[in-house]
Amino acid sequence: MKFYPYKRLNRPIALRVTSASLKLPDNTRDLLDTSAWSVPQRTVALGVAQHDDWTSARIGLSATLPPGAIADDAPWTGLKVLVTLTDGETNVRTSVELRQDAPESKEWSGFVEVHRDDHVGRAFLSAHAVATVDDVAGRSVAETDEDWTVDVTADEPLAGLRLDVKQVGFAKSSREWLHAYADAPWIVDASGRVPAVLVNTDVEGFADLLDAESGGMENKVHELLVTQMSTDVWTAVFHSAVGDLETEPDGTPVFPTDWRGEVLREMLPDVAPGVHVEEALRRVHRRRTGDAGWVELQTRIHYAAVRRAGVSRALSQALRALQQSNRGDHA
């Protein structure tokens, strides 16, 4: 634990990646899909687009300051939010200043440029709120407690949402509640600190298919199954998070402070597009607790989960593999 001789905020800054694009040699930009970054793994994979000749990447960022940061009686002035990209292998360090979204907003946003020639593997993103405290400029009053990783070569952000997969026979499991799902291939359990996917080993051959590591069609089916599981997990976590929101005295919902809150921030732009995430959360909360609108919202929630799970990519790869197999059979 560090001790500081001045007042600071006692909660960390929440840093999120909101977009990523690659600049190509012809000066065009390839906007990457949201599957290029993972909120739970806090990782951006810049190799996801399979471009070997990109020259730089622009990563969009959003930071939320803790309560009290912009209070009228805060013991500091000249508050700024800086994001630093650090690469220990190449000794490159880049800092950019984020801009406050609105005069009274706790949200700050901006971009950081990642130059391909400056990095060989992984770099790390952190955010710091600095201000003048006790007449001393440049003092840190808050920072992120976990870095984001920017991997310039990886084609997956650490496998996206890393699933806690457990194999168990549902019919005779000691978890009696599983008996009712004996004919289901898998179940998502979102009741724990981290959601788990329970794979039913009673379904013959299913567990073996999930373990497939060959390069053939079985592997493509495996990838489709994993993305479907990821879709179920994203959906379950979203429902779990919005179903147990804390609220301010005036009824305004508050983002969870754990990674469920980060997942909500990631999915809400697709669930309630066109508005700021805080307003999106209010709209979703009103629909869930009100008399109407919650059922109609399920399509948007499913769409957001499908995007984050990377279903389209896995499906297109499986279809290409199937077409190639069919051409081979008719050759």
Side-chain angles (χ1 to χ4, degrees):
M1 178 180 294
K2 294 182 179 180
F3 295 92
Y4 297 84
Y6 58 89
K7 291 184 178 180
R8 285 170 35 93
L9 295 164
N10 57 13
R11 293 176 62 181
I13 298 172
L15 180 66
R16 298 170 299 285
V17 169
T18 58
S19 65
S21 64
L22 300 179
K23 185 178 181 181
L24 305 180
D26 60 0
N27 287 326
T28 60
R29 283 197 173 272
D30 184 4
L31 183 63
L32 303 184
D33 188 77
T34 55
S35 61
W37 63 89
S38 166
V39 174
Q41 301 303 325
R42 306 181 72 79
T43 299
V44 183
L46 295 179
V48 66
Q50 302 296 312
H51 289 298
D52 295 327
D53 56 350
W54 61 275
T55 58
S56 65
R58 177 176 292 173
I59 299 175
L61 300 166
S62 178
T64 303
L65 298 190
I70 58 173
D72 292 337
D73 58 350
W76 46 72
T77 58
L79 184 68
K80 296 182 180 180
V81 178
L82 304 176
V83 168
T84 301
L85 179 70
T86 306
D87 190 324
E89 292 188 61
T90 59
N91 290 322
V92 172
R93 183 183 178 91
T94 304
S95 292
V96 295
E97 184 175 344
L98 302 185
R99 293 181 177 272
Q100 191 175 15
D101 290 357
E104 301 300 323
S105 175
K106 293 185 294 183
E107 304 288 332
W108 301 61
S109 58
F111 298 90
V112 64
E113 293 284 344
V114 182
H115 297 282
R116 183 66 182 88
D117 291 341
D118 290 342
H119 306 280
V120 295
R122 293 180 173 181
F124 300 94
L125 282 170
S126 59
H128 303 264
V130 297
T132 298
V133 188
D134 297 335
D135 296 325
V136 179
R139 281 183 158 174
S140 176
V141 298
E143 57 277 316
T144 46
D145 58 353
E146 289 185 76
D147 292 345
W148 271 78
T149 299
V150 178
D151 196 315
V152 300
T153 60
D155 58 6
E156 285 188 81
L158 296 184
L161 178 59
R162 182 171 292 174
L163 305 180
D164 180 14
V165 180
K166 300 176 181 178
Q167 297 190 7
V168 59
F170 288 8
K172 298 181 180 179
S173 173
S174 58
R175 305 175 185 179
E176 294 186 1
W177 64 271
L178 282 176
H179 299 174
Y181 307 104
D183 59 344
W186 71 79
I187 288 291
V188 177
D189 180 10
S191 62
R193 187 180 61 86
V194 176
V197 178
L198 305 179
V199 174
N200 189 1
T201 56
D202 295 334
V203 179
E204 186 175 354
F206 181 62
D208 293 336
L209 183 59
L210 284 178
D211 292 334
E213 297 181 354
S214 66
M217 196 61 201
E218 278 192 355
N219 191 56
K220 300 304 178 185
V221 175
H222 158 83
E223 292 176 1
L224 279 175
L225 287 172
V226 170
T227 59
Q228 181 58 57
M229 289 180 177
S230 295
T231 300
D232 289 352
V233 170
W234 282 103
T235 303
V237 170
F238 185 89
H239 281 280
S240 176
V242 298
D244 192 25
L245 288 173
E246 295 183 5
T247 58
E248 301 281 6
D250 63 357
T252 301
V254 179
F255 278 97
T257 56
D258 61 9
W259 68 276
R260 286 179 175 82
E262 297 299 296
V263 170
L264 284 178
R265 292 180 185 276
E266 192 70 20
M267 293 180 67
L268 281 170
D270 285 325
V271 176
V275 297
H276 195 274
V277 289
E278 292 179 342
E279 173 59 24
L281 184 63
R282 286 192 288 268
R283 292 187 181 185
V284 170
H285 180 65
R286 284 197 298 267
R287 288 200 179 192
R288 192 191 68 81
T289 58
D291 296 329
W294 181 239
V295 173
E296 291 80 358
L297 204 61
Q298 301 311 303
T299 300
R300 299 295 314 183
I301 295 172
H302 182 259
Y303 169 69
V306 165
R307 289 196 68 193
R308 294 306 304 151
V311 174
S312 295
R313 181 185 178 199
L315 180 59
S316 62
Q317 290 177 345
L319 289 174
R320 282 197 299 268
L322 182 60
Q323 291 170 353
Q324 292 171 357
S325 177
N326 288 339
R327 285 196 295 268
D329 291 342
H330 292 91

